[in-house]
Amino acid sequence: MINLPEAFLQRMQALLPVSEYQQFLKSYEEPAQRGIRLNLHKFLELSVMNQENIVSYEGLLRDFGLKSIPDASSVVFRGKQYFREFYLDDDFLNEHALRPGKHPYHEAGLYYMQSPEAMHVVAKLQIRPYDRVIDLCASPGGKATQAADMLSLSQGGFLLANEYIGLRARTLSSNFERMGIRNGAVLNENTERIAERFPEYFTRVIVDAPCSGEGMFRKDPETIRAWSPESVAMCALRQREIVRNAVFMLAPGGRMSYSTCTFEREENEDIVNYILAEFPEMQCIYMKRHWPHQDRGEGHFCAILKKSGEDLFKDRAISAEVMTENSALLSISEEEIRQEADLSVGFTEERKKDQVYLVPDCLPDLRGLKVFRKGILKEEILKNREEPSHAYVHALPPMQTEFPVVNYKKEDPRIDQYLHGLQITVPDGFDGKGFVIVACDGAYLGLGKCAGTQIKNHFPKGLRFL
């Protein structure tokens, strides 16, 4: 049994009816419910290859025993609906000796491990392919990378993901790279500076506010030690500052989400009421509490608010007939997928010291702001030689021809050896040399350098399995 703070128990007892309070306490005796969100951009690009030995959407659902969460977002391709958000069944995973967080598909960016109730927020925001999206408190990147998967580079949609704390911005940037996001940037800024730079600019704003973290108690004992009534009050003050800036940068007709992983009214409904009182142009169109004793998850609060005025993209807006309760039910063609994957169009090459970036033309001017990562790090100049980056590999489509690809099945021991940083042997019949991409069932893991029958490992040291 988790040792919960007495002050927290008193506050929950005042917040919940007696019968529910007992159910709430009992939920802490149960294991945490986990979730997984698929990277549909990568799955659909793999599917258009029409080749054998390629991981498929259907195969992953079967092998991992996945069931979609209620109201999951989705797209339609070749007449089939592809869902994005799923529950993990730990009994199934244990029976089949699967560890999704230590699986080669995870390192290939095919999915993101995320709490089911947290995935609910972005699904409700109704992000369209061409939206201008900013996530103001983005690390480690769950909601940001979920939003990016709903955007279309070819239609001008982009994402700015901001994180105020530098070390957390590094984690955010790493997840951006692993998921292969091409049309985004990572900022390391104060939200007030961003709002001053972009008044009424973003059509979608995500605020997953720093909070007292009560919904994390079951997963992370450190959050229990850090909790206090004083921390709740401090978080509420900081949340008010962030939402003020969020409303200021939200475009007319735009939508913003406000969410926390805590149960306090002071940090949830009271913040929504503050927005409505301070900004009469804002309307709350959806609000829900996720309790661990009622829903499959750790607990979350979500509100969706809309700003009055004419939509900046009213001429492009998706018709109501294809809007589900959660998101645009888009039909994507094979041609659109190939356009999304073409890195020769819609990018400008920029050099920053010894690094070369591919910057998407759809991004706004970010000069004057602290930019941690902009677009795709293509290569680094080391001692007068050009070395492709790990981030570039993950942004490349599976139909690329720039590098030879050595593809292994996930059961091949060389995949595990590669992820541990070891040198591996080439497949039979392969006679390439120089830089190669090491792939698992068609999904790119990283770089190697081939010499004869051996591939020297270039998988980043910080990402290697121990």
Side-chain angles (χ1 to χ4, degrees):
M1 182 65 183
I2 297 174
N3 187 20
L4 297 169
E6 184 61 33
F8 166 73
L9 294 174
Q10 292 173 1
R11 294 162 83 103
M12 293 303 101
Q13 194 167 12
L15 189 61
L16 289 164
V18 174
S19 60
E20 284 203 32
Y21 176 67
Q22 295 302 322
Q23 294 172 18
F24 173 73
L25 291 182
K26 190 173 178 57
S27 72
Y28 284 90
E29 301 174 13
E30 304 295 327
Q33 170 67 63
R34 297 191 298 161
I36 188 171
R37 176 175 47 77
L38 303 191
N39 187 345
L40 293 188
H41 268 104
K42 287 201 174 188
F43 273 103
L44 295 182
E45 287 176 3
L46 283 165
S47 71
V48 302
M49 295 180 67
N50 297 318
Q51 293 182 9
E52 296 180 355
N53 300 324
I54 298 294
V55 57
S56 69
Y57 170 88
E58 297 84 358
L60 187 75
L61 265 59
R62 180 189 63 248
D63 293 346
F64 280 25
L66 302 183
K67 303 293 182 185
S68 61
I69 69 170
D71 301 329
S73 64
S74 62
V75 299
V76 175
F77 176 63
R78 293 174 176 168
K80 176 182 174 61
Q81 192 170 4
Y82 287 74
F83 292 99
R84 190 176 276 111
E85 299 94 11
F86 296 85
Y87 291 117
L88 280 173
D89 183 339
D90 281 321
D91 289 338
F92 180 94
L93 296 175
N94 290 334
E95 181 184 345
H96 293 83
L98 289 170
R99 298 177 63 196
K102 285 290 185 182
H103 195 285
Y105 292 169
H106 178 271
E107 301 311 307
L110 292 181
Y111 54 78
Y112 191 104
M113 307 284 288
Q114 192 173 2
S115 296
E117 73 280 12
M119 296 188 283
H120 177 85
V121 178
V122 173
K124 283 290 183 185
L125 196 52
Q126 294 191 346
I127 293 175
R128 304 164 298 184
Y130 43 80
D131 271 318
R132 303 170 178 173
V133 184
I134 186 165
D135 185 342
L136 291 177
C137 317
S139 188
K143 291 179 175 65
T145 55
Q146 183 181 9
D149 198 39
M150 299 174 177
L151 295 169
S152 167
L153 173 65
S154 61
Q155 295 190 44
F158 68 85
L159 168 75
L160 300 186
N162 179 63
E163 176 52 51
Y164 179 69
I165 300 172
L167 286 176
R168 288 173 57 83
R170 185 177 300 279
T171 300
L172 172 63
S173 181
S174 178
N175 279 320
F176 251 54
E177 293 177 357
R178 181 173 65 87
M179 303 302 280
I181 295 172
R182 302 164 182 146
N183 51 335
V186 174
L187 306 182
N188 178 207
E189 267 295 355
N190 183 300
T191 59
E192 185 176 5
R193 280 175 46 82
I194 304 172
E196 290 172 352
R197 182 68 174 273
F198 295 108
E200 295 199 324
Y201 180 81
F202 296 100
T203 54
R204 297 290 187 269
V205 176
I206 301 169
V207 180
D208 190 44
C211 68
S212 54
E214 294 165 353
M216 300 292 289
F217 283 0
R218 188 161 57 170
K219 292 198 301 184
D220 184 3
E222 182 58 38
T223 58
I224 299 176
R225 289 188 284 271
W227 185 92
S228 69
E230 292 75 23
S231 71
V232 172
M234 182 181 66
C235 287
L237 284 175
R238 183 167 49 192
Q239 290 153 2
R240 290 187 177 211
E241 176 188 355
I242 293 170
V243 296
R244 283 196 303 269
N245 295 326
V247 172
F248 189 74
M249 65 182 80
L250 181 65
R255 299 183 182 210
M256 68 174 273
S257 64
Y258 176 78
S259 59
T260 72
C261 59
T262 199
F263 306 122
E264 300 289 339
R265 283 195 62 90
E266 192 175 349
E267 299 182 64
N268 294 328
E269 290 89 349
D270 288 358
I271 298 296
V272 173
N273 291 333
Y274 168 78
I275 295 171
L276 299 178
E278 290 290 314
F279 304 98
E281 69 272 27
M282 298 297 290
Q283 173 191 7
C284 183
I285 58 176
Y286 176 84
M287 187 160 58
K288 180 177 174 63
R289 273 181 177 268
H290 295 262
W291 289 98
H293 62 285
Q294 294 176 347
D295 302 296
R296 296 175 65 181
E298 297 305 289
H300 219 70
F301 173 84
C302 169
I304 306 296
L305 300 104
K306 184 177 181 180
K307 182 180 272 191
S308 63
E310 193 169 66
D311 186 352
L312 289 184
F313 295 131
K314 66 181 188 303
D315 296 332
R316 303 178 63 183
I318 300 167
S319 66
E321 288 76 20
V322 295
M323 293 294 287
T324 67
E325 182 184 355
N326 304 307
S327 60
L329 182 58
L330 298 175
S331 292
I332 297 180
S333 68
E334 188 167 323
E335 178 59 29
E336 287 174 296
I337 291 172
R338 293 186 182 278
Q339 287 177 358
E340 287 286 303
D342 189 355
L343 300 188
S344 66
V345 177
F347 289 89
T348 299
E349 196 167 281
E350 291 185 7
R351 181 166 175 171
K352 183 180 179 181
K353 295 183 179 178
D354 294 329
Q355 296 179 323
V356 179
Y357 287 84
L358 292 179
V359 180
D361 298 336
C362 59
L363 285 184
D365 184 0
L366 300 175
R367 284 176 294 185
L369 295 174
K370 286 192 278 187
V371 180
F372 197 94
R373 173 189 183 273
K374 184 167 65 170
I376 306 163
L377 175 58
K378 182 183 180 184
E379 59 193 14
E380 296 185 79
I381 312 301
L382 304 173
K383 296 179 181 179
N384 297 318
R385 76 177 190 276
E386 298 174 352
E387 186 162 310
S389 79
H390 183 73
Y392 185 51
V393 169
H394 280 278
L396 283 171
M399 60 284 290
Q400 63 85 31
T401 57
E402 187 171 348
F403 300 102
V405 177
V406 286
N407 189 30
Y408 305 89
K409 293 183 178 180
K410 63 179 181 295
E411 300 86 4
D412 193 311
R414 286 173 290 190
I415 287 293
D416 189 64
Q417 292 164 7
Y418 176 77
L419 293 175
H420 278 82
L422 302 177
Q423 186 168 285
I424 59 175
T425 58
V426 301
D428 293 340
F430 182 82
D431 60 356
K433 62 181 180 179
F435 281 109
V436 298
I437 293 176
V438 178
C440 175
D441 297 331
Y444 295 169
L445 293 174
L447 286 163
K449 200 164 190 180
C450 185
T453 61
Q454 300 293 313
I455 297 176
K456 183 180 178 181
N457 201 306
H458 280 249
F459 193 63
K461 291 182 180 180
L463 301 178
R464 293 174 183 178
F465 290 180
L466 299 177

